Amino acid sequence: MHTLPAHCKLVAVLGFVLVVVATPREAVWAFGVHAALLAAVAATARLAPGFVLRRMLIELPFVTFALLLPFLAEGPRVVWLGLPLSESGLWSAWNILAKGTLGVAASVLLAATTELRDVLLGLQRLRLPPLLVQIAAFMLRYADVISDELRRMRVARASRGFTARGVRHWGVLARTAGALFIRCYERGERVHLAMLSRGYAGTVPVIDRLTADRAQWASAAALPAIALAACVLGWTL
């Protein structure tokens, strides 16, 4: 899993997510098959269950929204533990939870087995617009620089006795955000001028070219292919 080319894994994850979305919500067993496939991938990649579960906490806001649907949706009601719940709301909540969780888990597995630089190279190999790939590359490269700039501004505020305690301090925080934006914009202009002075003409030279043989493509296609079989059976059974 760690050695597969990034563009193979990107295509596999995209295909898997599309198949999961296309799976009918009534085919509960099919979602079990999808989850088992991801568990097999995680085991093959030797990723600890706790490692994956901690990174899946990002979907908590969607879980909260899904849990409210049985109480808010209209239609026939069923009583569970003394609570009247909407039947259509229960199916909708299950649909969001199952598909969202599987999609997030697939993304976590991709991120855990692929370096960010390789992901960008994979996107470039898949012929995504070069400008979008370059924007993403610079965003990742300069994220730490921007966070360091924000930390220095926060230290400067604290050294002058400032502590945000309520709404009346929002003006100071807004000016901080504005100053950070101006500094980032000016830094971007300097970086762009430096690139132009080194011969930049709209594209970044590719040093490492990703290639994949048939065996690697077949290994990557196993995940969406098996999930597709479960999806088709879910619609036909």
Side-chain angles (χ1 to χ4, degrees):
M1 292 307 302
H2 293 273
T3 57
L4 279 177
H7 58 291
C8 296
K9 288 188 278 188
L10 286 168
V11 173
V13 170
L14 177 60
F16 176 80
V17 171
L18 292 177
V19 170
V20 168
V21 172
T23 303
R25 63 185 185 181
E26 293 80 7
V28 178
W29 65 269
F31 292 101
V33 173
H34 298 334
L37 288 174
L38 293 181
V41 172
T44 304
R46 297 183 180 180
L47 299 176
F51 174 87
V52 177
L53 293 176
R54 283 194 302 270
R55 280 152 181 77
M56 289 178 60
L57 294 177
I58 192 174
E59 70 165 342
L60 281 180
F62 301 98
V63 172
T64 304
F65 171 75
L67 293 178
L68 293 177
L69 287 177
F71 300 96
L72 302 177
E74 302 293 336
R77 298 276 171 170
V78 295
V79 178
W80 182 72
L81 296 179
L83 298 174
L85 304 176
S86 170
E87 185 175 347
S88 62
L90 287 172
W91 277 115
S92 298
W94 157 252
N95 192 46
I96 293 175
L97 286 175
K99 296 181 179 180
T101 300
L102 291 171
V104 171
S107 301
V108 169
L109 294 179
L110 173 65
T113 57
T114 314
E115 296 289 338
L116 289 176
R117 177 177 176 274
D118 293 334
V119 172
L120 295 174
L121 290 175
L123 293 175
Q124 194 171 30
R125 182 70 176 81
L126 294 174
R127 299 293 191 273
L128 262 71
L131 184 59
L132 295 180
V133 177
Q134 292 178 45
I135 291 174
F138 283 110
M139 180 187 69
L140 294 174
R141 180 172 297 178
Y142 287 97
D144 292 337
V145 177
I146 296 174
S147 62
D148 288 341
E149 189 75 30
L150 181 60
R151 179 184 57 81
R152 287 192 293 269
M153 296 173 69
R154 186 167 55 247
V155 170
R157 291 200 313 263
S159 65
R160 290 165 175 80
F162 174 81
T163 303
R165 294 189 178 88
V167 178
R168 61 192 180 92
H169 292 131
W170 284 6
V172 177
L173 299 178
R175 288 191 291 273
T176 300
L180 180 63
F181 172 78
I182 293 174
R183 293 186 182 185
C184 294
Y185 185 82
E186 292 176 345
R187 183 184 293 272
E189 285 188 329
R190 293 195 299 270
V191 171
H192 184 243
L193 290 175
M195 292 169 60
L196 292 177
S197 66
R198 288 163 175 79
Y200 175 74
T203 58
V204 177
V206 178
I207 299 176
D208 300 325
R209 295 189 177 275
L210 297 180
T211 58
D213 54 29
R214 293 182 179 179
Q216 291 172 324
W217 275 113
S219 300
L223 176 66
I226 299 175
L228 180 60
C231 176
V232 172
L233 289 176
W235 282 105
T236 56
L237 294 181

